[in-house]
Amino acid sequence: MRIRLILLAAFLFASPLLAQEIIPDGDPDYLEDQFYVGLTYNLILNKPESVNQQNLSYGLQLGFIKDLPLNSKRNMGLGIGLGYAVNSYYSNLQVSELADSFEYSLLSSDLNTKRNKLETHLIELPIEIRFRNSTPTEYKFWRFYAGAKLGYVVGARSKLVTTEYKDSFYVTDIENFRYGLTANFGYNTFNIHIYYALNNLFKDGLQLDSGEDLTFTPLRIGFIFYIL
């Protein structure tokens, strides 16, 4: 998966001409409908003190946004989209599958752990207020898009890999409905993307075996690439 992400990032960095290079014939009714691809580093905020992030927690998002101009100059608009995202969170939090529930604890050093992650797959609905200085004949422009993103987790999996064995299973203690604030800003193809979740990744009331409340607030920071 990491190799695929690296290849995708290299392709996008090497191909800025894919985005916003085609100049229309001065169409005053142009639209900024866009496909997007994003790569992020995923941070975990408000986590239990004993939980530490490990390795590279990454995210990949892609989708399409429909642009609805809000003024005659079309430099302000409303964007509504539909997309897919996968996010991985590497940490020392061990999830154990029981008969009818899950148990949460810290990884033991005796396990000789190679990788331990929680991975979520989501259908997402981005909603943005969009400011830009585009014109009917210029598609290289500065932009600032701010708004919210709604999501629904269609699958969450815990995966533990040690030198002796692998353990992988679906986790149903995830809060399926996700929502958070977003900001995207930059020039032409390459833009900074920030997402801050407004609800806990896990369902309320869960605890570690030590008695600490299990709280995870995702913060994702990375790049987003727009393709017309």
Side-chain angles (χ1 to χ4, degrees):
M1 183 63 181
R2 286 188 186 176
I3 294 176
R4 293 178 183 176
L5 290 176
I6 292 172
L7 290 175
L8 176 61
F11 171 75
L12 289 170
F13 274 102
S15 306
L17 56 87
L18 287 176
Q20 301 162 348
E21 293 292 337
I22 300 175
I23 300 176
D25 296 328
D27 182 5
D29 297 324
Y30 71 94
L31 296 174
E32 298 293 353
D33 297 343
Q34 296 161 325
F35 291 96
Y36 66 88
V37 177
L39 299 171
T40 59
Y41 174 66
N42 298 340
L43 296 164
I44 304 171
L45 306 182
N46 303 321
K47 56 184 175 55
E49 290 187 6
S50 57
V51 173
N52 298 314
Q53 281 197 249
Q54 300 172 341
N55 298 339
L56 177 63
S57 298
Y58 58 84
L60 169 66
Q61 57 178 315
L62 53 90
F64 177 79
I65 293 183
K66 175 66 178 177
D67 187 84
L68 305 172
L70 297 179
N71 61 355
S72 59
K73 291 184 178 181
R74 296 180 177 259
N75 57 8
M76 180 178 178
L78 174 66
I80 301 176
L82 181 65
Y84 163 81
V86 55
N87 292 291
S88 294
Y89 304 93
Y90 288 85
S91 72
N92 64 337
L93 174 69
Q94 182 177 3
V95 185
S96 301
E97 187 177 26
L98 306 180
D100 56 356
S101 62
F102 300 92
E103 182 179 64
Y104 300 91
S105 60
L106 300 181
L107 285 170
S108 170
S109 57
D110 298 333
L111 288 178
N112 295 319
T113 302
K114 297 175 66 176
R115 292 188 303 277
N116 178 58
K117 71 174 180 177
L118 181 67
E119 183 177 271
T120 61
H121 298 259
L122 305 93
I123 300 299
E124 296 188 320
L125 176 68
I127 303 172
E128 305 170 342
I129 295 295
R130 319 177 100 198
F131 301 92
R132 62 275 177 127
N133 62 354
S134 61
T135 71
T137 57
E138 180 56 62
Y139 270 27
K140 288 185 177 181
F141 54 85
W142 290 96
R143 64 166 58 84
F144 176 73
Y145 301 160
K149 182 178 287 185
L150 308 178
Y152 185 82
V153 177
V154 296
R157 179 179 287 274
S158 173
K159 186 174 184 179
L160 171 63
V161 179
T162 73
T163 55
E164 289 80 25
Y165 69 92
K166 296 180 181 180
D167 190 20
S168 180
F169 50 84
Y170 285 100
V171 179
T172 57
D173 280 345
I174 297 297
E175 185 61 58
N176 288 331
F177 289 101
R178 313 295 310 146
Y179 54 92
L181 301 177
T182 62
N184 305 315
F185 54 92
Y187 178 75
N188 197 19
T189 309
F190 307 108
N191 301 268
I192 302 296
H193 170 76
I194 301 173
Y195 168 89
Y196 177 73
L198 295 178
N199 61 335
N200 187 18
L201 184 64
F202 290 94
K203 294 179 179 179
D204 293 337
L206 298 177
Q207 292 184 329
L208 297 176
D209 58 358
S210 62
E212 293 179 272
D213 290 334
L214 184 56
T215 54
F216 270 47
T217 301
L219 170 64
R220 303 197 286 268
I221 302 175
F223 296 97
I224 189 166
F225 307 90
Y226 291 105
I227 304 170
L228 290 178

